[in-house]
């Protein structure tokens, strides 16, 4: 049986109209409902079911709408498009509206036959969205068939959620906890990575030799590496075995020249030039050795590397970027700055005495171990650091450390002692293995010390509470001030016992009727490494839900550094309080970056650093490391990692000085000691060098391969085809008002209660916002930003709430028998002073058949577009107006009433003669097809192979979805008689 219907044609089957898709065969039609999504695709056998050719029915002249009808129908139609005809195939179907600056990495990627990119935008700019855009586009175009994301296990579930909810990519988690279950479902000899095309893989799980070889053999053709700086080694310093294994894995993955590779990191340097070069070598081998100071080297790198600060994208596509005007200008609401305040506290006499005794004990142990051998000396050293850090943290952490055996005590050598002791007591900037690093370390190293440590532990436990623990007392004071100013803070601690202690001291306890010192309406919860990554997210959502929308309610989250990377907290929190100082300032920046990022509603994020004035450690760390880091960031606008070895050298010098003071009483000031001065000099030199390199690289390697004019051209095309934010805002407000919702403004945002709207809309919204929200008529918040919290709706076309509203408005417009209000109609007659002669506006739907070549073969696609076309006079002698004039008619408002009978007669005459304009509509479709063809070629211009065989054809006949007639008002028409007669 011959194929009767070509791709893109309309057919009628099963009581509705469908578009024939390219996947159809002679005996099997693959159909998508007209105006429907890919989720509604169905297969029909013409031999067994009745299938007929269909033409889109003309509007009914008696079903007239008001002056808003055309604009609402147009937007409802465009929101429903899930298969755009432009060069960005995926933008119409994803559930996020990217910022214009986020299209730059995508444009760079589409110019490469095999995509190799290093995306190093600053923290909070949206690198995950940028990576997701590239991945969804390569998959949509057929340039990639599978995806693997390599990331920390703590971030795997967040990546899975982001890809699924924003990009429609359903990826399987491959972690140590899931691999056994996944492998049970495999066929004999089948690889996990063959069965599941899209996977999110724990880098630390897959790097082992047992799993690495299978992954490399069956690796998907698109790989994204998150926090890529943790996966490379440097040539000039000691590196961990873990880094070496990760680097070997990526090196083998990158060896396949046909594999797309996307490296993502906010800190590509980490203070080490050789590590940066090795990272570039993964992207492209010659980049590891090319002279980046030469013009040739910079041009080569610019094709693959994008690194921008917030200041670069806060205002984008403006005249300052070289554009003619600001019509496409986009302003991104990042917080303007962080407000830093360093607050001090003093130890109580009892706590002071405990710390002195502990220092004396640690000092004795270190001195004694020095004479026993290098292994014993290193074990004692790590035990001393563990004891000091936990004592400075909290009485609870101190007590647990004093009762716990040191992890380094079992070491067989000095090197093993360093390997076991360092992770639990240091704060490496390069470590992505934060899991398990917030447990309190042990201090016990010998059997006969038990009674002495037990006595110290009992004394520490007795100091709990604000009476003796003045650090806790200071915390309560500063939290009260933040809460009084309307802030919702996160308190970061180093150890799990400290976090649990603070949550216990600060929280309300209904059972014991204990009232929080922060107030009865303040909800306090702790998130630590004792919870799984998903449980941490759930706990945060529970905290937000429990606090609710009550203006008087406040949220306080107590967290360890298990939340300092990857997890986005800007929707619920807007201040950070460092309860425990990290010994590497990069960790502070990571903590603050959880709330200081795109989507934060506060213009100013507050940061309070609490430090001990007299504990011998905090003040020195703050002065030497934290403040220096802040100053460099203020000067450069970006964070520069302190080299780990240098940071450790300084903190080691501080501990040595403290222990020496414990043995010999007060000595010379720390800053005058030789070891400290040498360590600080080394740190200063290396850190300044790293800052200079970073400053130079940001200047030399600023993204110049894509000019803003190129971005502006594509942004304008996307907005013309899919609509912009202003159009969506107007559509949602006007549609909900017309449908009977109750709207309340709140600045640029608003809320809507929808209990009074038609039942069809309520049913459509219930799965999206929750049935309880509908039944209890709770307000649905609509936000002007696309970065929204759970339960909020973004005023963007891809938001599920907006999509459900648009679908309801469109279906009601097409069904003249639909119950309830119908805001959009397919016809309208408006008398207005916006025209001087009768003008007809047509809303036309075009369908295009695209042939898209890729390295995996040609892909046949049917896509849709909606255009407004307007003419003056009668259809037979139509005078066609410019596109801008047609769009302006949407803003025309009625200045006189139009009699219903007169309007219907006028509409009938125009509809009867509409066939006269068919040749023009079809020729316009051919022009659009030619423009789309040119746009595809322009975006994919880097390689002739990418565009060879590309074609775009307009499907005929076109669909006239709406017809709207504008009659001149008496005051604006000099003589309307000639134009009224048809």
């Amino acid at each position: 049986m011959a194929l009767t219907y070509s791709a893109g044609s309309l057919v009628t089957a099963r009581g509705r109209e469908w578009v024939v898709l390219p996947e159809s065969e002679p005996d099997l039609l693959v159909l998508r409902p007209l105006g429907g999504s890919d989720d509604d695709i169905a297969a029909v056998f013409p031999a067994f079911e009745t299938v007929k050719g269909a033409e889109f029915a003309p509007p009914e002249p008696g079903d007239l709408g008001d002056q808003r009808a055309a604009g609402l129908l147009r937007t409802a139609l465009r929101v429903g498009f899930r298969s755009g005809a432009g060069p960005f195939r995926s933008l119409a179907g994803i559930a996020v509206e990217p910022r214009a600056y986020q299209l730059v990495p995508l444009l760079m990627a589409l110019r490469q036959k095999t995509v190799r990119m290093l995306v190093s935008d600053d923290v909070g700019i949206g690198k995950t969205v940028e990576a997701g855009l590239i991945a969804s586009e390569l998959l949509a175009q057929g340039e990639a068939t599978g995806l693997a994301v390599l990331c920390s296990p703590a971030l795997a579930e967040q990546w899975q959620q982001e890809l699924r909810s924003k990009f429609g990519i359903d990826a399987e988690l491959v972690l140590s906890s899931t691999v056994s279950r996944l492998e049970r479902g495999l066929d004999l000899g089948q690889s996990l990575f063959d069965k599941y095309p899209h996977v999110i893989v724990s880098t630390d799980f897959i790097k082992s030799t047992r799993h690495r070889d299978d992954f490399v053999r069956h690796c998907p053709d698109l790989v994204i590496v998150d926090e890529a700086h943790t996966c490379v080694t440097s040539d000039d310093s000691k590196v961990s075995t873990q880094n070496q294994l990760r680097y070997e894995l990526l090196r083998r993955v990158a060896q396949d020249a046909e594999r797309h590779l996307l490296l993502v990191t906010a800190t590509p340097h980490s203070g080490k030039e050789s590590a940066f070069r090795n990272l570039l070598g993964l992207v492209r081998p010659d980049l590891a050795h090319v002279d980046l100071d030469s013009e040739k080297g910079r041009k080569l790198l610019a094709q693959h590397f994008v690194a921008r600060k917030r200041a670069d994208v806060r205002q984008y596509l403006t005249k300052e970027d070289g554009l003619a005007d600001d019509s496409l200008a986009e302003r991104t609401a990042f917080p303007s700055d962080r407000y830093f305040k360093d607050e001090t506290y003093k130890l109580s006499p009892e706590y002071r005495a405990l710390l002195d005794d502990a220092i004396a004990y640690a000092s004795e142990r270190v001195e004694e171990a020095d004479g026993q051998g290098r292994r014993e000396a290193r074990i004692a050293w790590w035990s001393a650091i563990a004891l000091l850090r936990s004592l400075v943290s909290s009485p609870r952490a101190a007590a647990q450390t004093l009762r716990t055996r040191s992890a380094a005590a079992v070491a067989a050598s000095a090197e093993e002692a360093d390997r076991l002791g360092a992770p639990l007591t240091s704060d490496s900037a390069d470590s992505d293995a934060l899991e398990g690093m917030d447990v309190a370390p042990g201090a016990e190293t010998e059997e006969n010390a038990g009674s002495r440590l037990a006595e110290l532990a009992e004394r520490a436990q007795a100091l709990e509470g604000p009476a003796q623990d003045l650090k806790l007392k200071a915390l309560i004071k500063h939290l009260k001030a933040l809460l009084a100013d309307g802030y919702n803070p996160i308190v970061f601690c180093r150890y799990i016992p400290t976090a649990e202690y603070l949550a216990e001291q600060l929280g309300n306890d209904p059972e014991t009727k204990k009232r929080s010192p922060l107030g009865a309406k303040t909800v306090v919860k702790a998130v630590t490494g004792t919870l799984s990554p998903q449980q941490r997210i759930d706990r945060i959502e529970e905290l937000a839900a429990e606090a609710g929308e009550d203006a008087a309610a406040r949220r306080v989250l107590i967290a360890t550094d298990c939340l300092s990377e990857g997890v986005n907290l800007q929707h619920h929190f807007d201040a950070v309080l460092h309860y425990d100082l990290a010994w590497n300032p990069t960790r502070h920046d990571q903590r603050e970056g959880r709330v200081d990022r795109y989507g934060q509603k506060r213009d100013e994020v507050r940061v309070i650093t609490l430090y001990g004035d007299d504990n011998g450690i905090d003040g020195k760390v703050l002065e030497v490391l934290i403040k220096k880091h802040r100053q460099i960031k203020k000067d450069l606008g970006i964070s520069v990692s302190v080299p780990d070895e240098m940071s450790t050298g300084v903190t080691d010098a501080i501990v040595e000085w403290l222990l020496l003071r414990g043995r010999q009483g007060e000595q010379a000031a720390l800053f005058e000691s030789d070891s400290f001065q040498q360590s600080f000099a080394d740190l200063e030199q290396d850190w300044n060098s790293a800052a200079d390199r970073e400053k130079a690289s940001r200047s030399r390697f600023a993204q110049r391969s894509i000019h803003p004019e190129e971005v502006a051209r594509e942004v304008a095309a996307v907005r013309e085809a899919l609509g912009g934010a202003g159009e969506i805002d107007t559509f949602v407000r006007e549609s909900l008002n017309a449908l009977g919702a109750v709207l309340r403004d709140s600045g640029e945002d608003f809320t809507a209660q929808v209990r009074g709207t038609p039942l069809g809309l309520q049913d459509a919204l219930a799965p999206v916002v929750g049935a309880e929200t509908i039944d209890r008529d709770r307000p649905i918040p609509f936000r002007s930003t696309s970065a929204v919290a759970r339960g909020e709706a973004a005023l963007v076309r891809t938001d599920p709430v907006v999509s459900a509203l648009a679908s309801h408005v469109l279906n009601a417009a097409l069904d003249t028998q639909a119950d309830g209000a119908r805001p959009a109609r397919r016809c309208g007659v408006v008398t207005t002073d916006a025209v001087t002669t009768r003008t007809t506006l047509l809303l036309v739907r075009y369908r295009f058949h695209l042939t898209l070549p890729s390295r995996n073969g040609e892909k046949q696609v049917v896509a849709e577009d909606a255009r407004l076309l307007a003419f003056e006079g009668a259809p037979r002698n139509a005078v066609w107006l410019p596109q801008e004039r047609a769009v302006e008619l949407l803003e025309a408002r009625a200045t006189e009433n139009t009699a219903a009978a007169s309007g219907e007669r006028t509409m009938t005459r125009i509809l009867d003669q509409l066939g006269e304009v068919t040749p023009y509509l079809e020729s316009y479709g051919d022009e659009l097809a030619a423009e789309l063809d040119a746009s595809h070629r322009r975006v994919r211009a880097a390689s002739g192979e990418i565009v060879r065989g590309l074609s775009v054809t307009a499907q005929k006949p076109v669909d006239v979805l709406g017809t709207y007639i504008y009659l001149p008002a008496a005051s604006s028409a000099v003589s309307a008689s000639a134009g009224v007669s048809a």
Side-chain angles (χ1 to χ4, degrees):
M1 176 180 174
L3 179 62
T4 308
Y5 306 105
S6 62
S9 58
L10 286 181
V11 297
T12 301
R14 300 179 183 177
R16 65 189 302 184
E17 293 177 326
W18 307 76
V19 177
V20 179
L21 298 182
E23 295 85 353
S24 297
E25 299 290 342
D27 58 349
L28 176 67
L29 295 180
V30 181
L31 309 174
R32 186 180 66 223
L34 188 62
S37 69
D38 288 345
D39 294 334
D40 303 316
I41 288 175
V44 173
F45 290 94
F48 302 106
E49 297 187 59
T50 302
V51 179
K52 296 180 179 179
E55 289 188 3
F56 196 71
E60 297 183 14
D63 188 32
L64 298 176
D66 60 18
Q67 58 197 8
R68 303 168 304 175
L72 294 179
L73 183 57
R74 175 200 187 214
T75 303
L77 177 66
R78 300 205 296 182
V79 167
F81 288 162
R82 289 295 178 265
S83 181
F88 304 117
R89 295 281 305 122
S90 63
L91 286 192
I94 61 176
V96 60
E97 186 167 297
R99 313 297 293 171
Y101 68 80
Q102 291 174 328
L103 295 178
V104 171
L106 176 59
L107 281 166
M108 294 171 64
L110 292 182
R111 294 186 173 186
Q112 303 175 28
K113 183 181 178 183
T114 300
V115 177
R116 292 294 177 103
M117 295 277 295
L118 174 56
V119 179
S120 298
D121 285 340
D122 198 7
V123 173
I125 281 181
K127 293 182 294 298
T128 302
V129 170
E130 292 171 344
L133 284 172
I134 294 173
S136 60
E137 191 63 34
L138 293 177
L139 292 169
Q141 292 188 2
E143 294 289 344
T145 58
L147 165 68
V149 176
L150 301 181
C151 65
S152 159
L155 302 180
E157 289 175 340
Q158 180 169 312
W159 265 100
Q160 184 186 46
Q161 175 66 19
E162 289 278 302
L163 290 177
R164 178 183 295 151
S165 62
K166 292 181 178 176
F167 301 100
I169 300 173
D170 205 359
E172 197 70 45
L173 292 178
V174 181
L175 312 171
S176 57
S177 59
T178 66
V179 69
S180 297
R181 172 181 58 81
L182 295 175
E183 288 178 339
R184 283 197 295 269
L186 299 178
D187 297 332
L188 185 64
Q190 185 181 31
S191 168
L192 191 67
F193 306 104
D194 287 336
K195 182 178 178 69
Y196 301 103
H198 307 319
V199 289
I200 296 168
V201 187
S202 162
T203 311
D204 285 329
F205 167 74
I206 209 68
K207 72 179 186 297
S208 66
T209 52
R210 175 171 171 247
H211 301 103
R212 182 183 66 201
D213 293 342
D214 180 52
F215 177 70
V216 172
R217 277 195 305 270
H218 303 276
C219 182
D221 50 5
L222 169 59
V223 175
I224 297 173
V225 184
D226 192 23
E227 301 295 344
H229 65 280
T230 67
C231 301
V232 292
T233 59
S234 59
D235 304 332
D236 52 0
S237 65
K238 291 194 302 180
V239 293
S240 69
T241 305
Q242 306 302 316
N243 277 50
Q244 290 174 336
L245 289 172
R246 294 186 204 117
Y247 181 52
E248 175 61 20
L249 168 68
L250 286 198
R251 193 184 59 78
R252 293 181 60 183
V253 167
Q255 280 178 342
D256 185 347
E258 296 295 309
R259 178 170 290 122
H260 303 295
L261 183 62
L262 191 58
L263 306 180
V264 179
T265 172
T267 53
H269 273 98
S270 294
K272 301 163 189 166
E273 181 68 16
S274 59
F276 177 56
R277 287 293 190 153
N278 288 338
L279 196 61
L280 293 180
L282 294 172
V283 175
R284 182 167 169 164
D286 48 348
L287 284 174
H289 310 291
V290 73
D291 180 8
L292 296 179
D293 288 322
S294 69
E295 185 67 20
K296 179 182 177 182
R298 288 197 296 270
K299 283 185 176 180
L300 182 63
L301 181 58
Q303 298 172 28
H304 303 275
F305 182 44
V306 57
R308 296 167 296 180
K309 300 180 293 185
R310 290 186 187 184
D312 298 328
V313 298
R314 195 185 296 275
Q315 297 190 51
Y316 191 55
L317 300 186
T318 66
K319 288 192 283 188
E320 292 182 3
D321 294 313
L323 273 63
D325 54 47
D326 290 338
S327 59
L328 293 174
E330 188 174 77
R331 290 167 177 80
T332 303
F334 296 112
S336 61
D337 204 356
R338 298 177 194 174
Y339 171 80
F340 291 102
K341 193 171 185 182
D342 301 324
E343 297 287 359
T344 187
Y345 67 92
K346 288 186 180 294
L347 297 172
S348 65
E350 293 80 3
Y351 213 130
R352 172 80 263 171
L354 174 65
L355 180 61
D356 287 342
D357 289 348
I359 291 174
Y361 166 77
S363 179
E364 291 170 15
R365 279 289 302 121
V366 170
E367 185 176 21
E368 180 183 330
D370 280 344
Q372 296 174 346
R374 190 161 174 267
R375 168 189 169 273
E376 289 74 13
R378 297 310 294 167
I379 292 174
W381 174 256
W382 293 119
S383 173
I385 291 181
L387 183 55
L388 294 175
R389 292 207 70 177
S390 61
L391 271 163
V392 170
S393 179
S394 71
R396 180 87 48 100
Q400 184 160 327
T401 293
L402 288 160
R403 292 182 175 126
T404 305
R405 186 163 176 78
S406 170
V410 299
S413 65
E415 291 73 23
E416 186 179 4
D418 288 345
R419 190 171 67 252
L420 294 173
L424 292 176
T425 52
S426 63
D427 301 310
S428 170
D430 283 347
S431 174
D432 70 336
L434 289 173
E435 296 306 299
M437 293 301 104
D438 53 358
V439 299
E444 185 178 327
T445 59
E446 55 183 359
E447 298 296 332
N448 58 9
S451 60
R452 187 171 177 186
L453 293 181
E455 184 265 333
L456 291 173
E458 289 177 7
R459 288 170 59 188
Q461 190 171 341
L463 295 176
E464 290 191 3
Q468 298 292 342
D469 183 3
L470 300 186
K471 182 182 181 184
L472 170 63
K473 185 177 181 180
L475 172 68
I476 294 172
K477 170 188 170 185
H478 297 305
L479 285 179
K480 282 183 175 179
L482 285 172
L483 297 172
D485 288 343
Y487 281 84
N488 295 292
I490 303 176
V491 179
F492 275 105
C493 311
R494 179 63 176 85
Y495 299 118
I496 293 172
T498 300
E500 293 175 342
Y501 164 65
L502 294 184
E504 182 183 302
Q505 292 286 330
L506 299 177
N508 289 289
D509 189 345
E511 292 185 8
T512 62
K513 296 185 179 179
K514 170 184 168 289
R515 179 186 169 94
S516 166
L518 304 177
K521 289 192 174 184
T522 299
V523 183
V524 180
K525 289 189 183 295
V527 171
T528 69
T530 58
L531 303 176
S532 72
Q534 187 56 47
Q535 288 173 326
R536 296 167 199 168
I537 302 299
D538 294 341
R539 177 72 60 85
I540 293 166
E541 294 296 336
E542 287 171 15
L543 170 58
E546 196 173 327
E549 296 297 322
D550 186 344
R554 288 288 175 265
R555 300 180 289 273
V556 176
L557 176 64
I558 313 294
T560 62
D561 284 316
C562 71
L563 287 186
S564 69
E565 283 193 300
V567 181
N568 300 331
L569 303 171
Q570 71 271 30
H571 299 305
H572 300 311
F573 305 97
D574 44 26
V576 169
L577 195 150
H578 300 290
Y579 191 70
D580 290 334
L581 293 187
W583 283 12
N584 191 310
T586 303
R587 185 59 50 80
H588 277 228
D589 200 48
Q590 290 166 342
R591 293 172 176 178
E592 294 155 16
R594 297 310 94 215
V595 299
D596 184 7
R597 57 197 305 111
Y598 175 57
Q600 172 59 254
K601 297 182 179 70
R602 288 267 186 188
D603 185 53
E604 180 183 84
V605 170
R606 287 194 185 177
V607 178
I608 294 178
T609 303
L610 197 60
Y611 71 99
D613 187 44
D614 57 350
N615 63 28
I617 299 176
D618 282 357
K620 315 301 184 295
V621 172
L622 179 72
E623 186 69 29
V624 176
L625 295 175
I626 309 297
K627 289 186 176 180
K628 170 78 173 176
H629 183 265
R630 286 181 198 161
Q631 188 60 46
I632 290 177
K633 180 165 186 176
K634 183 178 180 181
D635 293 343
L636 293 186
I638 53 167
S639 177
V640 176
S641 298
V642 54
D644 281 336
E645 314 88 73
M646 299 299 104
S647 174
T648 302
V650 170
T651 51
D652 283 357
I654 294 172
V655 173
E656 285 178 11
W657 169 79
L658 199 61
L659 295 178
L660 182 67
R661 192 184 70 174
R663 291 199 297 270
Q664 302 178 6
E666 289 293 336
Q667 299 291 319
L670 167 69
F671 296 102
E672 296 174 7
S673 68
D674 292 339
S675 63
F676 177 83
Q677 287 188 344
Q678 183 60 51
S679 297
F680 182 70
D682 292 343
L683 170 76
E684 186 89 358
Q685 180 178 347
D686 271 42
W687 208 349
N688 287 337
S689 296
D692 289 342
R693 285 196 302 271
E694 186 68 18
K695 185 176 182 179
S697 72
R698 293 279 167 163
S699 174
R700 289 184 309 181
F701 313 141
Q703 197 299 116
R704 295 191 180 96
S705 64
I706 304 291
H707 193 275
E709 282 185 359
E710 300 174 68
V711 182
R713 181 167 51 197
E714 304 309 332
V715 167
V718 169
R719 289 181 183 173
E720 186 175 5
L722 302 178
E727 178 184 336
I728 299 300
D729 185 291
T730 300
F731 168 78
V732 172
R733 289 177 185 267
E734 291 189 351
S735 296
L736 288 175
N737 265 321
L739 290 167
V742 178
L743 272 63
R744 290 184 175 85
D745 280 318
S746 176
E748 293 183 351
D749 303 332
F750 62 92
T751 62
Q753 293 169 265
V754 298
R755 197 73 179 95
T757 62
L759 290 177
L761 178 60
Q762 294 183 42
D763 291 342
L765 292 176
V768 180
V769 300
E772 191 174 2
T773 297
I774 303 296
D775 294 340
R776 298 194 176 186
D777 203 16
R778 291 176 177 165
I780 302 172
F782 285 85
R783 307 297 187 200
S784 56
T785 174
S786 59
V788 295
R790 186 180 299 179
E792 299 179 338
L795 290 168
V796 297
R797 61 180 300 280
T798 51
D799 184 89
V801 176
V802 175
S803 296
L805 175 62
S807 179
H808 177 84
V809 170
L810 178 60
N811 291 335
L814 298 178
D815 182 5
T816 58
Q817 306 303 315
D819 295 330
R822 297 170 57 231
R825 304 289 178 93
R826 295 185 61 195
C827 290
V829 179
V830 179
T831 303
T832 176
D833 58 9
V835 299
T836 57
T837 186
R838 187 183 64 197
T839 305
T840 303
L841 178 68
L842 303 178
L843 176 58
V844 184
R845 172 165 50 195
Y846 288 96
R847 295 188 303 280
F848 300 97
H849 187 186
L850 288 80
T851 301
L852 300 175
S854 75
R855 62 186 190 177
N856 295 316
E858 288 186 347
K859 188 169 185 176
Q860 305 292 324
V861 177
V862 172
E864 296 173 300
D865 197 355
R867 294 297 167 123
L868 290 170
L869 302 174
F871 64 87
E872 292 179 344
R876 185 180 297 108
N877 303 309
V879 177
W880 292 94
L881 301 179
Q883 181 71 27
E884 310 83 63
R885 177 60 179 146
V887 175
E888 288 173 3
L889 288 173
L890 293 178
E891 304 298 324
R893 291 294 175 255
T895 52
E896 294 181 14
N897 291 328
T898 305
S902 172
E904 186 173 345
R905 285 195 303 271
T906 303
M907 179 60 67
T908 301
R909 287 198 300 272
I910 293 296
L911 291 177
D912 287 345
Q913 300 177 44
L914 212 51
E916 300 284 350
V917 302
T918 298
Y920 179 86
L921 299 183
E922 292 184 348
S923 67
Y924 188 82
D926 292 336
E927 291 177 16
L928 285 179
E931 290 176 10
L932 288 168
D933 184 282
S935 181
H936 278 271
R937 294 176 186 276
R938 182 175 65 244
V939 168
R940 301 156 64 127
S943 170
E945 294 180 33
I946 296 180
V947 296
R948 189 174 298 130
L950 186 149
S951 68
V952 184
T953 307
Q955 188 75 27
K956 299 178 175 92
V958 302
D959 301 330
V960 177
L961 203 68
T963 304
Y964 308 92
I965 302 171
Y966 296 84
L967 301 175
S971 58
S972 63
V974 177
S975 175
S977 59
V980 173
S981 63

